Amino acid sequence: MTAIPLGVPRRLVEFTLDGQEARVPEGATILDACRAAGKDIPTLCQGDTLTPKNACRVCVVEVEGARTLAPACSRKAEAGMEVRTDTERARHSRKVVLELLASSVNLSTTPRAAEWIKEYEAKPDRFGPDAARVDEEPRVDNDLYVRDYDKCILCYKCVDACGDQWQNTFAISVVGRGFDARIAVEHDAPLTDSACVYCGNCVEVCPTGALSFKSEFDMRAAGTWNEAEQTETTTVCAYCGVGCNLTLHVQDNEIVKVTSPHDNPVTHGNLCIKGRFGYQHVQNRD
Amino acid sequence: MDLHFGDSKPTDEEREAVDALLGPPGSAWETAFGDAAVRSDADLRWARGGRAARERRDLLLPGLHAVNDRVGWISEGALDYLCRRLTVPPAEAYGVATFYSMFSVKPRPATVLHVCTDVACAAKGSAELCAGVEGRLGPGSGVSVERSPCLGLCERAPAALVVRAGAASGPDAAAGGGSGAAVGGGSGAAVGAGHGSVAEKPYATAVIAPATPEAAVLAASAPEAAEPEPAASLAVPQAGQPGLTLLRRIGVVDPASLDDYRSHGGYTALRRAFELGPAGVIREVTDAGLVGRGGAAFPTGVKWKATASQPDHPHHLVCNADESEPGTFKDRVLMEGDPYSLIEAMTIAGYAVGAHKGYLYLRGEYPRALQLLGNAIEQARARGLLGDDVLGQGYAFDIEIRRGAGAYICGEETALFNSIEGYRGEPRSKPPFPVEKGLFGKPTAENNVETLVNVLPILTMGAEAYAAIGTEKSTGPKLFCVSGSVERPGIYELPFGATLGELLGLAGKPENLRAVLLGGAAGGFVRADEMDIPLTFEGTRAAGTTLGSGVVLAIDDTVPLPRILLRIAEFFRDESCGQCVPCRVGTVRQEEALHRIAERTGAAAAGDIALLREVGRAMRDASICGLGQTAWNAVESAIDRLGAYE
Ligand code: SF4
Ligand code: SF4
Ligand code: SF4
Ligand code: FES
Ligand code: FES
């Protein structure tokens, strides 16, 4: 018995990927094909359960005959397409995009960023010491999670997760324009005055650590955060009958944060405030 | 959707502004929320809004305009009230309100003086104008001075635009007609109801160009009493000359009179269209070889055919009148000088692609065009040239004007759809293309003003005669916006294939010409010795440049080139929507590098020029839309063709 319904079989699209024949189901993206073929393309705004906004442009590839590069995460594979993932042109754009990002925001908590910067020989410092940065102070206005937009790459994932793709609360949006664009709630108020319901689904999808659990934020500030020492245990939330899957991240015998598996066919990584943040009673030892 | 609202309340004025657009609220829940005294029993059982209101999300931008027009800025209470009425989440509406430069979410004076500081105006002393205006106004003047990108008045540079929120004083204020003091047309209430009627506006505007500090300050203190703008035909040095096609009625007809338009050949093209049938019209347009005049040069017939053949319905027609390319003002002159021609052309286009609704997206900085088009639509409707049964042919078509609010990016076709739909004006990624999924997710043909107006001569003279004008690959007449250091700036009509030298000859080329910016900020520079370049799509391409939107901005050797390049870079940095990294950050890095080398040349500039090239290449390759992809063109051409920093 399979847990996931298979649906109607889809037609296969045949195209060329780096000179090799590739076959993917209709509707699959170039990125899907790359991953199936074991190619590692950097991605930031792409998320496994959200429709990517293709805004970060680190996944660009060359499509034969196209004037510009294409975002692998969003461009669907088409029959007969000739795609090259590792050309000088594609690598150049990825390098510059990484430089532009790293020179304007803090990527220190973005998984794999350092590795890609090295691989593409990006030199974010070459824009000089006066290069404009986002330069924002972390916003700590509630006890559950912290918004540190100095780390935000404007990937739109949190907006989509809070909006019509996951949570349907629509508490946050991109505001302003150009380099001044930011994620904010209405009237740029504190989170506590907004429509936020503290489900933490935005934190779940944030690829940079711009949104983080207050627990994690505080431990990082204190220098006690140690991912290597953490264990992860997936269990079932006991609060209500929905029965969402929770992944407890435990360090030194304390729960330090709660995430949720995205491949769960019912919840896809979504939780509510209780499952996400209501874990203190578990470790209440008095 | 479970919306959350804060407790800020609208003022009576703000509420009235919104209600004038949307009609009175159906329930006290929507009005005096929190005020139990006016809630009725029925209200307590009333869950209003829901889908009906949500489907009018596209009224968000008109709603923001309504408040901004009346009050001058958009307060928390006003925004929340508008959101409540439309069932739009306040965070999203805040994101939309902060996207447009003509709106403010912070208190500001009711009078805003927009002073153009863009390329053509910069060359004609906009810096002195700004300084003079600010010196005279001083603090507490009740006027907010804002530096503006191109106002589309480049032939009369330097230019300024006054917008005063709030009811215009005096009974004459609404009767400005085509004059500069006109109270803009196309009332908000009418937009909501789907009519573009010319009701009295709650705001006043005045256009001052060419502007002196004295005239600008005077107009800001009393926009209703400002000198009337010169007639649009004064922007057409060829006006009245024989042999013109697109400009032939400008300066000849009264732009306010439908009868006059008809007596000058108006509506013969539409009659011919009905004789040919939709497929016949598309065939004519295809055979005529018409390609889009907005810069992309895509074949119009192909676009129309693709839209017309989509099984999904309804089909939409969108006229892109968001002319914001610095140096471009031809659409404004067409709309102000011959507004009915656009209405007729849109009707034909709608008929061809099977649309019953046409959206005319007009840039927010064009008050006179708004007033004249609003009048033209109303007259056409009254005479059965728009409406349920156009010309008694059983074809229903109507046009709605949507006002932009200061965002160059909304000229990008998909950003324009988002803007109309009430979202941030961010471009969508393509595919899917608009002909398949455009406005409201439906098949849409989008054309700019000049392209549409070309359809009239195609139908009246026939495809063959039209195609005989110009060259084999670039057919028909072309409009050029000539500004900068020439004797007679303005709009010129020439058949495709005339050379740059011929055009500048007409406009009065200066002795000391240094360079020409072709195609606007997104185009490129050519040298003064390249006057043989043929003005065709293929000819400019062969010369390694572009025709773009038809901008020809002449720069003489008194104008400091690095300053112009900086202004171009600043323009793109300001106008980037911010969605994608190469453009959002790349435009900033480009401007920074240009600042560093503004005073440097040779080896001292080499490092930064190499950096500019690398960033520019990634912007061109990896940006989502044309803005980021072209933001480096002009600077690159100045370095390569003009030797800007040698
Ligand atoms: S806060 Fe995180 S998820 Fe949201 S846009 Fe920024 S980087 Fe993306
Ligand atoms: S996370 Fe929330 S919805 Fe899911 S089981 Fe726990 S309490 Fe229920
Ligand atoms: S290229 Fe610029 S304007 Fe276009 S989508 Fe990207 S950020 Fe927006
Ligand atoms: S991951 Fe593809 S554009 Fe961001
Ligand atoms: S109006 Fe100032 S540059 Fe066009």
Side-chain angles (χ1 to χ4, degrees):
Chain A
M1 204 184 89
T2 35
I4 304 168
L6 291 173
V8 245
R10 287 186 291 170
R11 275 194 301 165
L12 291 181
V13 176
E14 293 186 23
F15 71 109
T16 333
L17 190 60
D18 290 330
Q20 307 274 305
E21 287 290 305
R23 306 171 89 208
V24 290
E26 205 171 29
T29 63
I30 295 173
L31 184 67
D32 295 332
C34 289
R35 291 195 169 153
K39 292 179 198 294
D40 182 26
I41 309 268
T43 59
L44 284 167
C45 69
Q46 187 266 347
D48 48 4
T49 63
L50 298 168
T51 307
K53 192 81 176 171
N54 60 76
C56 79
R57 317 305 277 188
V58 294
C59 71
V60 286
V61 296
E62 204 165 335
V63 175
E64 185 72 32
R67 193 172 40 86
T68 56
L69 301 175
C73 64
S74 308
R75 180 62 58 82
K76 305 234 185 321
E78 291 163 30
M81 226 181 203
E82 277 184 47
V83 179
R84 306 207 156 262
T85 63
D86 213 32
T87 59
E88 190 274 331
R89 202 174 153 209
R91 292 186 67 94
H92 172 81
S93 278
R94 285 183 213 151
K95 173 185 101 160
V96 171
V97 164
L98 288 165
E99 287 174 338
L100 293 172
L101 274 177
S103 65
S104 53
V105 296
N106 172 354
L107 296 183
S108 64
T109 49
T110 303
R112 301 200 64 188
E115 174 193 332
W116 291 327
I117 284 176
K118 205 157 151 236
E119 178 188 342
Y120 289 94
E121 293 169 24
K123 297 188 186 60
D125 290 344
R126 66 192 182 123
F127 300 115
D130 298 329
R133 298 187 60 89
V134 165
D135 263 337
E136 298 247 328
E137 288 299 312
R139 298 191 185 201
V140 190
D141 52 15
N142 67 85
D143 290 335
L144 302 182
Y145 71 94
V146 175
R147 302 178 290 158
D148 186 359
Y149 293 132
D150 198 38
K151 294 176 171 174
C152 172
I153 60 164
L154 277 184
C155 70
Y156 289 67
K157 273 167 138 176
C158 56
V159 176
D160 288 342
C162 185
D164 59 356
Q165 294 195 29
W166 272 18
Q167 177 62 25
N168 274 289
T169 291
F170 300 92
I172 47 175
S173 171
V174 177
V175 310
R177 189 165 86 188
F179 197 71
D180 298 329
R182 297 284 186 277
I183 303 292
V185 307
E186 65 268 31
H187 317 305
D188 205 11
L191 207 60
T192 43
D193 289 348
S194 78
C196 175
V197 296
Y198 304 95
C199 62
N201 289 335
C202 56
V203 183
E204 178 80 44
V205 298
C206 181
T208 62
L211 304 176
S212 68
F213 289 83
K214 179 85 168 20
S215 49
E216 175 174 344
F217 180 82
D218 289 343
M219 287 173 74
R220 280 185 189 275
T224 55
W225 181 259
N226 189 344
E227 223 145 290
E229 277 190 5
Q230 291 169 12
T231 57
E232 293 177 19
T233 312
T234 297
T235 174
V236 176
C237 175
Y239 272 112
C240 86
V242 174
C244 304
N245 279 184
L246 307 179
T247 301
L248 309 177
H249 298 243
V250 177
Q251 180 182 330
D252 291 334
N253 220 17
E254 294 276 335
I255 300 173
V256 291
K257 71 173 177 184
V258 176
T259 60
S260 179
H262 291 196
D263 57 3
N264 183 299
V266 179
T267 55
H268 304 288
N270 283 244
L271 294 175
C272 79
I273 182 174
K274 291 183 282 185
R276 180 88 63 195
F277 294 106
Y279 52 77
Q280 278 311 332
H281 73 285
V282 178
Q283 46 202 21
N284 194 339
R285 297 184 179 89
D286 300 333
Chain B
M1 184 160 40
D2 175 21
L3 298 185
H4 166 278
F5 296 95
D7 50 13
S8 36
K9 294 199 173 91
T11 63
D12 289 343
E13 203 181 17
E14 291 164 344
R15 191 195 315 257
E16 270 167 29
V18 173
D19 291 349
L21 174 76
L22 303 177
S27 151
W29 281 110
E30 297 171 90
T31 54
F33 40 90
D35 185 356
V38 289
R39 257 187 224 159
S40 68
D41 280 353
D43 286 334
L44 295 171
R45 284 175 263 110
W46 188 267
R48 201 188 160 76
R51 187 178 299 164
R54 205 141 60 230
E55 277 172 357
R56 296 312 330 252
R57 164 90 185 228
D58 65 300
L59 290 175
L60 183 58
L61 184 55
L64 294 171
H65 266 302
V67 175
N68 195 67
D69 286 346
R70 184 79 72 99
V71 189
W73 68 286
I74 298 157
S75 72
E76 291 189 23
L79 190 77
D80 280 3
Y81 180 61
L82 181 60
C83 287
R84 205 172 264 273
R85 294 290 319 271
L86 293 173
T87 334
V88 171
E92 285 194 359
Y94 184 73
V96 173
T98 53
F99 187 83
Y100 296 98
S101 64
M102 293 182 87
F103 296 148
S104 172
V105 293
K106 303 223 164 62
R108 66 171 171 189
T111 306
V112 180
L113 176 62
H114 302 269
V115 181
C116 175
T117 53
D118 222 319
V119 186
C121 291
K124 297 264 176 168
S126 61
E128 293 74 21
L129 178 60
C130 284
V133 162
E134 276 163 351
R136 276 173 182 76
L137 283 170
S141 65
V143 176
S144 145
V145 180
E146 292 180 9
R147 281 161 179 74
S148 160
C150 179
L151 290 168
L153 298 156
C154 324
E155 87 279 10
R156 306 206 302 271
L161 167 71
V162 177
V163 181
R164 166 174 298 172
S169 55
D172 301 340
S179 87
V183 177
S187 109
V191 171
H195 309 292
S197 94
V198 197
E200 194 174 330
K201 293 301 301 179
Y203 65 100
T205 57
V207 166
I208 321 103
T212 58
E214 297 78 21
V217 167
L218 198 66
S221 61
E224 306 82 3
E227 284 283 302
E229 252 190 283
S233 57
L234 290 182
V236 181
Q238 297 162 309
Q241 285 177 16
L244 295 174
T245 305
L246 303 173
L247 300 176
R248 73 189 171 94
R249 270 186 293 258
I250 293 188
V252 175
V253 294
D254 173 0
S257 163
L258 176 55
D259 288 326
D260 211 23
Y261 177 68
R262 294 181 86 150
S263 69
H264 285 91
Y267 282 102
T268 49
L270 180 61
R271 283 179 204 284
R272 174 99 204 286
F274 283 130
E275 280 163 25
L276 292 169
V281 173
I282 293 177
R283 201 178 322 114
E284 286 290 294
V285 169
T286 309
D287 292 349
L290 177 64
V291 301
R293 303 292 200 243
F298 189 82
T300 307
V302 173
K303 188 186 272 187
W304 286 11
K305 190 168 181 196
T307 311
S309 61
Q310 291 294 323
D312 195 8
H313 280 276
H315 295 181
H316 294 298
L317 175 78
V318 173
C319 170
N320 184 344
D322 189 64
E323 174 180 61
S324 311
E325 180 65 36
T328 316
F329 46 98
K330 59 192 166 79
D331 292 349
R332 174 180 60 81
V333 172
L334 281 175
M335 293 185 289
E336 291 181 349
D338 193 8
Y340 287 97
S341 67
L342 179 58
I343 304 306
E344 182 183 359
M346 281 183 71
T347 312
I348 295 169
Y351 177 64
V353 303
H356 296 290
K357 181 85 182 265
Y359 290 86
L360 205 175
Y361 189 91
L362 180 68
R363 72 178 300 207
E365 292 89 339
Y366 280 179
R368 182 159 67 173
L370 176 67
Q371 196 271 333
L372 286 162
L373 288 166
N375 172 66
I377 290 171
E378 201 165 80
Q379 297 302 316
R381 196 180 288 136
R383 303 276 283 277
L385 293 161
L386 286 176
D388 294 340
D389 186 14
V390 175
L391 272 179
Q393 297 286 324
Y395 167 61
F397 184 72
D398 215 327
I399 296 174
E400 195 177 300
I401 299 179
R402 290 303 178 102
R403 232 186 334 149
Y408 169 73
I409 188 59
C410 290
E412 199 280 343
E413 54 180 352
T414 58
L416 193 159
F417 300 151
N418 278 332
S419 179
I420 292 181
E421 290 177 23
Y423 294 90
R424 293 165 54 80
E426 292 169 349
R428 305 172 182 172
S429 55
K430 296 185 274 189
F433 291 94
V435 294
E436 251 179 78
K437 282 194 191 319
L439 186 61
F440 302 113
K442 297 295 178 184
T444 303
E446 180 175 333
N447 296 106
N448 87 328
V449 175
E450 187 189 347
T451 313
L452 285 167
V453 168
N454 267 281
V455 172
L456 305 178
I458 288 174
L459 291 186
T460 50
M461 67 171 70
E464 206 174 315
Y466 179 93
I469 307 173
T471 65
E472 199 188 320
K473 290 206 175 105
S474 301
T475 60
K478 174 77 189 110
L479 298 181
F480 297 96
C481 313
V482 187
S483 62
S485 325
V486 292
E487 279 158 44
R488 291 171 296 279
I491 304 292
Y492 288 85
E493 177 183 318
L494 286 174
F496 271 116
T499 64
L500 183 55
E502 282 163 359
L503 174 62
L504 284 176
L506 287 177
K509 180 176 141 199
E511 290 292 308
N512 55 345
L513 184 70
R514 162 94 204 262
V516 173
L517 179 60
L518 259 191
F525 287 95
V526 299
R527 289 187 310 275
D529 63 4
E530 295 183 287
M531 289 297 125
D532 293 341
I533 294 180
L535 298 174
T536 55
F537 294 115
E538 64 279 12
T540 45
R541 201 175 309 129
T545 180
T546 168
L547 206 53
S549 55
V551 169
V552 174
L553 207 154
I555 291 164
D556 66 27
D557 60 14
T558 63
V559 182
L561 201 52
R563 274 249 297 276
I564 299 230
L565 299 184
L566 255 178
R567 171 62 221 184
I568 291 174
E570 181 187 281
F571 174 82
F572 284 110
R573 188 256 296 141
D574 259 353
E575 297 296 336
S576 167
C577 81
Q579 196 178 200
C580 65
V581 176
C583 176
R584 179 177 75 235
V585 189
T587 51
V588 174
R589 298 290 176 253
Q590 182 179 14
E591 192 188 347
E592 288 167 349
L594 287 173
H595 264 292
R596 284 196 294 270
I597 58 177
E599 308 300 331
R600 279 190 260 152
T601 50
D608 274 318
I609 288 178
L611 192 69
L612 278 168
R613 283 191 201 280
E614 285 204 29
V615 173
R617 184 173 167 223
M619 287 168 72
R620 183 174 290 157
D621 272 349
S623 297
I624 293 181
C625 85
L627 189 150
Q629 289 158 11
T630 60
W632 150 246
N633 285 359
V635 179
E636 181 185 42
S637 69
I639 293 171
D640 290 345
R641 265 184 132 102
L642 307 181
Y645 299 101
E646 273 164 20

